[in-house]
Amino acid sequence: MPHLERREKGMDGYPQEFRRVYLDNNATTQLRPEVVEAMLPYLREHYGNPSSGHWFGRSVRTRIEEAREKAAALIGAKPEEVYFCGGGSESDNTALKGAAFAKPRGASWRVVTSDIEHPAVLSTAGYLAQNGYCQTVVGVDRYGVVDSAEMAAALDSTTAVVSVMHANNETGSIQPVRRIADAVRARGALMHCDAAQSAGKIPIDVNELGVDMLSMSAHKLYAPKGMGLLYIRKGVKIHPLITGGHHERGMRAGTENVAGIVGLGTACELARKGLAEDAKKITALRNRLQKGIMEKISSVRLNGHPEQRLPGTLNISIEGAEGETLLIQCDTQGIALSTGSACASGSAEPSHVLVAMGIPRNVIQGSLRISIGIFNTGQDVDYLLERLPKIADAARAS
Ligand SMILES: *Cc1c(COP(=O)(O)O)cnc(C)c1O
């Protein structure tokens, strides 16, 4: 769905079409039209409170449970193992704090993460470390893949919970979650996995991954912002983060975001059905873009794993250029992409992910993250390939 904006007058005085190309799908995604359509009745006529015993409540309760089934089907879970919440960050917080708070008081329990986790995990582990828990952060290799040997060595009988993401939001590198989960669970600790970036893009099966908890964010999956879910394996007991009523079986109090839940359920179903085809199409676009950039621009390096990577993620460094300059120049040409992560940009700090990978600071400076989604087309790739070489030349000269 290319975005075309009519401009009053072009350089030649005639009206011009100004192209807008969105290549920042790891930051957020456009809602699928089917998701919007599915949500609308729950913003209009079906406004009942799902906890109400009358028809208005009962009819929306049914739709929540249908959405739960669809979400569970995407990740190979049972519907009763899915808890809806207010986004990926809340889901990560619930998993880590909930697991930590469920431990008996007195001992110093440990929270272990990798050092490329999303801030929702890293800051939460940091918060716990300031509030009576211990924290260990495990490193990654040059491809941004968690070192499973270092992880195994970090585990002991005081480990309460380990959190390793399924795929990284900046590089797309896919993590050895199963191998880590086996070691974690052998120690009697809980394994959490942030799958905000991988859900709907690569196959996920919570049993194959061997995780106890898994987080998803709706807006990375063509569904609305402020919506997410936490999978909690049956039998695993953690504390709720939000207390109050008995919503989400006591795991997350608050009247349900019915439209958001229906939207997420619909997005999960569409993602599951289209996964193989979407991944194939997006991988082809990404590979063409990567090849084109490498051919047209000198001294470009790929950040992240060359193969074990999300279909749509391309993180590169244009050596000798300033990422912020590249970003601004792209923006003036209607191209939306990112340096590092959306959460980190705006701050002058270099990406913690690229730093953890041992990439020299001057190379990190020229990093760009291009993330392709289901709405992107070959024309989008062509447009970037046409513009980026000139933008890179200009940025290098500045
Ligand atoms: C986006 C994202 C989150 C946060 O999700 P929100 O719904 O924006 O709170 C957490 N982890 C990863 C890996 C993400 O990409």
Side-chain angles (χ1 to χ4, degrees):
M1 232 176 278
H3 294 260
L4 293 174
E5 205 176 276
R6 281 222 166 264
R7 289 240 162 145
E8 281 304 300
K9 284 204 176 86
M11 299 265 274
D12 48 9
Y14 287 99
Q16 267 202 336
E17 294 220 308
F18 183 74
R19 202 179 164 83
R20 285 214 183 271
V21 174
Y22 187 74
L23 288 165
D24 202 9
N25 287 278
N26 286 15
T28 197
T29 56
Q30 182 182 358
L31 271 72
R32 288 191 195 246
E34 302 94 318
V35 169
V36 177
E37 286 305 319
M39 289 174 70
L40 285 176
Y42 300 90
L43 297 168
R44 289 182 173 140
E45 58 269 36
H46 298 298
Y47 52 80
N49 185 327
S51 298
S52 299
H54 47 61
W55 179 85
F56 290 87
R58 285 196 321 270
S59 59
V60 295
R61 163 67 51 206
T62 310
R63 292 306 304 271
I64 290 181
E65 296 318 316
E66 282 170 17
R68 202 183 304 283
E69 283 166 22
K70 291 172 184 170
L74 179 65
I75 57 172
K78 300 186 189 85
E80 64 269 26
E81 295 174 318
V82 169
Y83 299 85
F84 291 118
C85 67
S89 299
E90 186 187 318
S91 180
D92 288 337
N93 270 262
T94 307
L96 268 62
K97 291 175 182 164
F101 297 164
K103 286 293 183 188
R105 292 293 150 107
S108 342
W109 294 103
R110 185 169 293 279
V111 178
V112 182
T113 72
S114 82
D115 58 6
I116 56 157
E117 295 303 310
H118 189 274
V121 165
L122 278 180
S123 306
T124 303
Y127 166 86
L128 288 167
Q130 295 195 325
N131 288 277
Y133 297 85
C134 304
Q135 180 188 13
T136 304
V137 181
V138 172
V140 295
D141 67 12
R142 66 197 177 104
Y143 295 125
V145 176
V146 178
D147 184 331
S148 22
E150 190 184 329
M151 178 58 80
L155 307 173
D156 64 22
S157 57
T158 67
T159 310
V161 58
V162 175
S163 184
V164 173
M165 68 203 324
H166 194 199
N168 183 262
N169 43 306
E170 294 188 35
T171 62
S173 293
I174 296 167
Q175 306 302 321
V177 174
R178 175 61 195 242
R179 207 175 323 145
I180 295 168
D182 285 345
V184 170
R185 293 169 87 195
R187 282 285 185 180
L190 293 178
M191 178 71 193
H192 169 252
C193 179
D194 178 344
Q197 287 294 341
S198 58
K201 298 178 189 164
I202 55 174
I204 295 184
D205 185 304
V206 288
N207 296 310
E208 274 173 30
L209 285 176
V211 296
D212 296 297
M213 298 180 281
L214 182 133
S215 294
M216 273 173 57
S217 168
H219 75 97
K220 307 289 172 63
L221 194 65
Y222 314 99
K225 294 160 187 63
M227 186 66 222
L229 67 79
L230 177 61
Y231 155 82
I232 309 174
R233 182 178 295 281
K234 206 172 174 191
V236 169
K237 294 274 179 285
I238 68 166
H239 281 200
L241 194 63
I242 315 283
T243 48
H246 293 292
H247 312 89
E248 296 300 295
R249 283 142 296 137
M251 269 312 299
R252 204 267 189 174
T255 303
E256 296 86 342
N257 175 358
V258 179
I261 290 171
V262 169
L264 176 54
T266 305
C268 287
E269 183 173 48
L270 292 168
R272 183 174 58 82
K273 289 183 173 161
L275 196 140
E277 208 176 304
D278 290 343
K280 201 171 147 211
K281 177 199 141 182
I282 291 170
T283 303
L285 288 177
R286 197 267 320 270
N287 289 349
R288 185 151 73 78
L289 185 57
Q290 181 174 328
K291 190 163 168 280
I293 288 174
M294 298 296 176
E295 279 168 8
K296 289 175 176 231
I297 307 174
S298 62
S299 305
V300 174
R301 64 178 270 181
L302 175 70
N303 301 317
H305 199 285
E307 278 98 39
Q308 295 302 308
R309 186 164 40 129
L310 289 175
T313 306
L314 176 59
N315 191 314
I316 53 164
S317 283
I318 299 180
E319 286 178 45
E322 186 72 52
E324 283 301 320
T325 310
L326 294 166
L327 198 75
I328 292 163
Q329 284 311 312
C330 284
D331 188 35
T332 62
Q333 312 266 327
I335 302 163
L337 26 82
S338 153
T339 61
S341 70
C343 309
S345 60
S347 66
E349 285 294 300
S351 147
H352 73 284
V353 174
L354 302 184
V355 169
M357 288 160 66
I359 299 172
R361 298 272 162 148
N362 62 317
V363 178
I364 294 177
Q365 293 254 296
S367 70
L368 276 186
R369 181 188 69 183
I370 304 161
S371 45
I372 300 169
I374 56 168
F375 296 118
N376 288 118
T377 62
Q379 287 173 315
D380 294 343
V381 167
D382 292 340
Y383 186 66
L384 184 60
L385 283 177
E386 178 209 321
R387 300 298 165 106
L388 194 58
K390 289 169 209 146
I391 291 171
D393 281 347
R396 277 172 168 163
S398 71

